[in-house]
Amino acid sequence: NAGVTQTPKFRILKIGQSMTLQCAQDMNHNYMYWYRQDPGMGLKLIYYSVGAGITDKGEVPNGYNVSRSTTEDFPLRLELAAPSQTSVYFCASSLRSTGGYGYTFGSGTRLTVV
Amino acid sequence: ILNVEQSPQSLHVQEGDSTNFTCSFPSSNFYALHWYRWETAKSPEALFVMTLNGDEKKKGRISATLNTKEGYSYLYIKGSQPEDSATYLCAFQETSGSRLTFGEGTQLTVNP
């Protein structure tokens, strides 16, 4: 059981470049999330999805886009990379919102924009 | 914007010491309070999900309590070991949706 798989683990981008961070889960979880973690700032929600075809903005969505065409995959797209997007990105999933289900996190993608 | 605060920010203890830290959260529209353990260079792992006022959860030497009326939760570690060194995150879940709002964490270092 792989859980939540994120790729790549590390990436360096130049300002203005674009890239997609991949996230896949094999637990048949309905809910998926993208967070970024900046030093001393905790985890901030970028986007989330409650099921295939449904996405919504979190606290810090500017500069990012997402799609959810299948239950398993939830890619995060950076269109015009900026230094402010240098961060560690975590994808997470949960079975559903009710019943207080915990999140399963991926191992993270460390992104540097130079 | 929901305010979830954790204290202290960091904590250094000696092996064998017992310790505790606090998570405070809004006392209205409560649904669940989550605790995660986050080791360096790894991803956060769920410790507890607590939903009822007065809840107490335990996993080995780690336990947690919940007071939803006053908006706080305590995490306790009994007889700390070096392998307990990690950042402990709490996260608040509102009634209205599934999203978690995370605190900034308490970084625990257990010295051998």
Side-chain angles (χ1 to χ4, degrees):
Chain A
N1 191 346
V4 178
T5 303
Q6 285 184 242
T7 55
K9 290 194 185 306
F10 305 94
R11 183 74 185 267
I12 298 174
L13 277 184
K14 293 185 179 178
I15 294 171
Q17 286 185 320
S18 61
M19 77 165 292
T20 300
L21 282 66
Q22 301 292 344
C23 176
Q25 53 90 11
D26 61 358
M27 299 172 285
N28 205 29
H29 282 178
N30 293 323
Y31 291 76
M32 296 187 75
Y33 315 86
W34 275 105
Y35 286 88
R36 58 179 286 173
Q37 189 249 337
D38 301 316
M41 298 292 289
L43 290 167
K44 300 295 183 188
L45 182 65
I46 306 171
Y47 271 95
Y48 69 104
S49 168
V50 301
I54 306 169
T55 62
D56 208 346
K57 296 178 181 178
E59 299 172 78
V60 290
N62 292 343
Y64 306 95
N65 278 302
V66 293
S67 59
R68 184 96 182 269
S69 56
T70 66
T71 300
E72 294 78 20
D73 299 299
F74 190 40
L76 177 72
R77 178 88 178 154
L78 283 71
E79 290 294 349
L80 290 170
S84 61
Q85 293 176 305
T86 294
S87 188
V88 182
Y89 293 84
F90 287 95
C91 178
S93 72
S94 65
L95 183 58
R96 57 181 191 224
S97 65
T98 57
Y101 282 79
Y103 286 15
T104 301
F105 282 85
S107 56
T109 295
R110 185 175 294 274
L111 176 67
T112 303
V113 182
V114 296
Chain B
I1 296 178
L2 298 171
N3 198 23
V4 179
E5 295 185 349
Q6 292 188 246
S7 63
Q9 273 191 323
S10 65
L11 193 55
H12 291 252
V13 301
Q14 289 297 123
E15 182 175 355
D17 287 350
S18 293
T19 187
N20 65 85
F21 21 93
T22 307
C23 173
S24 62
F25 52 85
S27 55
S28 58
N29 292 334
F30 175 87
Y31 192 83
L33 193 283
H34 298 229
W35 280 100
Y36 290 83
R37 180 173 181 274
W38 193 0
E39 289 182 74
T40 302
K42 294 187 178 180
S43 53
E45 291 183 352
L47 281 173
F48 306 116
V49 180
M50 308 173 79
T51 56
L52 297 174
N53 185 42
D55 241 359
E56 290 190 31
K57 300 271 188 179
K58 187 174 181 181
K59 185 182 287 188
R61 294 179 290 99
I62 303 177
S63 59
T65 61
L66 178 67
N67 183 324
T68 60
K69 294 183 179 179
E70 296 182 42
Y72 65 84
S73 175
Y74 293 133
L75 189 79
Y76 300 90
I77 303 178
K78 186 178 178 182
S80 302
Q81 299 297 308
E83 57 264 31
D84 296 328
S85 298
T87 296
Y88 291 84
L89 292 173
C90 71
F92 172 73
Q93 185 174 8
E94 262 193 306
T95 308
S96 59
S98 63
R99 293 164 288 167
L100 297 184
T101 299
F102 283 86
E104 292 184 11
T106 292
Q107 186 174 5
L108 174 68
T109 304
V110 182
N111 300 310

